[in-house]
């Protein structure tokens, strides 16, 4: 008897490495299936396509970070530091997101990321309305800056968590 959820989990685990290494275009369903110990037909049965598998994997990875790093508008420097830590622990998420944007355009946010982002923008906007954080930037721009500072640290050789936190502290200082 086949265990659908166990098979899906094996495919998702195998796909994480494959997509993080090769991107959507370069990933091969044969390699994913072989690593998962499954028939490649299971990819199409459970995810409809290689792109469907990638989309589901990206959603799961984004949801994991969203759940592990909730927004704290009153402590944006701490939030940026915790994001930095989460990306350090799961660097493949950044690679998946980069491949998604490269292959779909920079304006094409995955729906799960867009939904999580809307919630966070609303939390920042509410904190601004209540005067708890700076209103020097609109909520979307402020959150973009905070998030991208935590990501930028990965492309800067000497960057670390402290640099991210101090940068956000300066950003929001009034």
């Amino acid at each position: 008897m086949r265990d659908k959820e166990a098979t899906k989990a094996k495919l998702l685990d195998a796909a994480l490495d494959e997509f993080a290494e090769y991107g959507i275009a370069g990933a091969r369903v044969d390699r994913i299936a072989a690593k998962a110990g499954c028939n490649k037909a299971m990819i199409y049965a459970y995810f409809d396509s290689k792109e469907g598998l990638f989309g589901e994997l990206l959603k799961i990875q984004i949801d994991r970070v969203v759940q592990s790093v909730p927004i704290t508008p009153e402590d944006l420097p701490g939030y940026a530091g915790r994001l930095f830590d989460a990306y350090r622990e799961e660097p493949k998420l950044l690679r998946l997101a980069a491949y998604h944007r490269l292959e779909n355009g920079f304006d094409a946010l995955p729906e799960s990321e867009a939904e999580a982002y809307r919630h966070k923008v609303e939390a920042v906007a509410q904190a601004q309305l209540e005067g708890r954080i700076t209103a020097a930037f609109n909520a979307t721009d402020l959150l973009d800056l905070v998030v991208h500072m935590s990501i930028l640290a990965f492309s800067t050789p000497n960057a670390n968590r402290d640099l991210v936190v101090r940068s956000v502290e300066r950003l929001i200082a009034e």
Side-chain angles (χ1 to χ4, degrees), residues 107-120:
D107 292 332
L109 277 181
E111 183 55 36
S112 56
E113 185 176 355
E115 182 57 37
Y117 214 68
R118 272 190 293 277
H119 164 74
K120 291 178 180 194

Side-chain angles (χ1 to χ4, degrees), residues 11 29 32 41 51 60 69 79-80 92 102 116 123 130-131 144 173:
L11 288 167
V29 293
I32 294 168
E51 292 77 11
I60 289 167
V69 187
Y79 173 67
K92 291 177 184 175
L102 284 171
E130 295 169 1
D144 283 347

Side-chain angles (χ1 to χ4, degrees), residues 32-48:
I32 294 168
K35 184 173 181 182
C38 301
N39 182 312
K40 72 179 184 179
M42 294 295 97
I43 292 172
Y44 300 101
Y46 297 142
F47 304 101
D48 296 326

Side-chain angles (χ1 to χ4, degrees), residues 1 6 27 32 39 44 62 67 82 84 87 91 100 109 111 120 135 137 149 173:
M1 186 103 193
I32 294 168
N39 182 312
Y44 300 101
I62 290 169
Q67 295 301 317
R82 290 188 302 280
F84 178 86
Y87 295 142
H100 179 273
L109 277 181
E111 183 55 36
K120 291 178 180 194
F137 302 93
M149 282 183 182

Side-chain angles (χ1 to χ4, degrees), residues 10-81:
K10 288 178 190 176
L11 288 167
L12 287 163
D13 286 343
L16 177 59
D17 292 333
E18 181 75 11
F19 285 124
E21 179 72 23
Y22 300 104
I24 302 168
R28 298 291 173 255
V29 293
D30 292 11
R31 288 191 299 244
I32 294 168
K35 184 173 181 182
C38 301
N39 182 312
K40 72 179 184 179
M42 294 295 97
I43 292 172
Y44 300 101
Y46 297 142
F47 304 101
D48 296 326
S49 65
K50 178 172 71 169
E51 292 77 11
L53 174 58
F54 180 86
E56 180 66 19
L57 178 64
L58 184 58
K59 179 188 180 313
I60 289 167
Q61 294 299 311
I62 290 169
D63 288 348
R64 186 173 292 147
V65 170
V66 166
Q67 295 301 317
S68 69
V69 187
I71 186 77
T72 50
E74 301 82 9
D75 182 21
L76 289 177
Y79 173 67

